[in-house]
Amino acid sequence: MPISEKDIQLHIWGLRDNWVNLIQPVKFPEPNHFIDEEYDIWSLNPQDAFFNIIYSRLSDVDKYTRKTELIGCEVSLKKDSDSTIRADLLCCSIGRGGFGIIEIKKSSQTERQAYTELLGYGNHIQRLFPGMSTEDLVYILISPMEERIVREATLLSLLNDEKPVYCLVPKWVNDDITTLKLHPWIPSNEDLVKISNGMFHPSNIDIFKLTWDYVDDWNYLPPRQNPEPHMVDTLNKLSIYAAQVMESKHITGFVYASQPWAEMPLLPNSLIIAGINPFKVSKLLHLIRTKRLDIYKTKDLDTSGIRLNNILPEIDNTHNKSSEDYLEAFSTAWTDTIAGISFETFNTMTINSENETFETDHGSMTWEQYQRILMEDVFVHNYDVRPTGLLRKLFQAYQDIDYKYLTKYGYENHPFHGHGDIPSYGIDNWYDIRYFREFINRLFDPVYNYRLDINDAETDRKSET
């Protein structure tokens, strides 16, 4: 008789005192440190850093799972006036707070329902223990992992939702349940979400800048003074709050505050929120892919002709013949998201007991356009930058690789920090807008400094002739 999901469940429960012995040894791929040869760091790209993030996360969850004990089988999770759901198995580890929820799916047909059920169990447990963090629940799926939608859901849960997810593939011999082994699932290169450097093209990064007038307790008088520590600290508090809101919405971007130089005739306080517009990214990557364009020669490229059915051709059928250009509308409206965060931050941070209001102004553009405007981006004091979402994770990964490289080879061989001006400790590097700009440039073009040198040399050659 074929083995059923119930057979797997009861067999594992029967071995509850040492069920982790069913989990087979695994060796996750080694991280890409780019420090084996002196100039390997030139070839670092977002996909390599993403590789490090995913496998490091899986390795951590693997270590946790192997230390768990089973505490429940077919656990009924009841809600008043609602249907009862049942978790196949519950486990926990004395060395870590919270639970591991185990869901068993035998076939590719049933595994599609896995995350719906796992997340349902997780939501119910979070109601019983208010305030649980994402680290307090580990989602363990025992499944064939044959469906691509399940593999993608696993990786997106790990990366975007930051949920600890662990998958085990059950295998046995001749329908003999006593031969059951659980093999940790290792995503292949094909499974990994492809993070193209085109995602970080400066034209894909939307900027919303909000400025406002003097606040008595924030800005020192007379009005045209250069910033002092109290003023800088106050403005940095706004970017901290805005970054927290951005993280809660899973926005990949960054935020910082700035103030113009004393002699500039501008409103004295600014909050700059940047976000990678996913709809602009999809349009640019589609155009590059279909037109076989050089990604480094796509400056000011017109993507307005890309429509939603170019990205999702499945919607173009007899039941959907809309002439509306939704993709262009999505792309334009997305800026409203970061604009809303700007005003929420400003309104929250300027609420006061005197019901005082302040003059404001605002504008939006791309990061590429913003950096060309000297009065906005150069003749100003830029304060601590705070990356969010995927940019925060990638910045951490790049910094880790950089410091390992510097430890081995020193400053003089680093292609981006050859002058030795990178701080000794990461904390001094983390919030610095100069290094963050360089990081953004490296994400888009790993050898951008080299390209700049070549362009400068070409300019010099032409001027000489």
Side-chain angles (χ1 to χ4, degrees), residues 90 98-99 122-133 136-137:
L90 281 182
F99 300 92
N123 290 339
H124 183 71
I125 289 178
Q126 286 173 323
R127 290 190 187 99
L128 299 176
F129 301 93
M132 291 184 83
S133 74
D136 296 325
L137 276 176

Side-chain angles (χ1 to χ4, degrees), residues 107-175:
S107 67
S108 58
Q109 286 78 17
T110 59
E111 71 178 2
R112 290 188 175 199
Q113 308 163 9
Y115 277 101
T116 301
E117 296 176 10
L118 274 173
L119 295 176
Y121 306 151
N123 290 339
H124 183 71
I125 289 178
Q126 286 173 323
R127 290 190 187 99
L128 299 176
F129 301 93
M132 291 184 83
S133 74
T134 55
E135 295 301 301
D136 296 325
L137 276 176
V138 175
Y139 299 89
I140 302 171
L141 175 61
I142 298 177
S143 170
M145 299 302 290
E146 294 175 356
E147 290 291 316
R148 181 169 183 83
I149 191 172
V150 178
R151 300 195 299 272
E152 289 180 346
T154 299
L155 292 172
L156 291 174
S157 292
L158 282 167
L159 186 66
N160 291 348
D161 299 334
E162 300 195 50
K163 287 181 167 57
V165 178
Y166 188 61
C167 299
L168 296 164
V169 178
K171 296 183 180 181
W172 53 83
V173 179
N174 296 328
D175 285 329

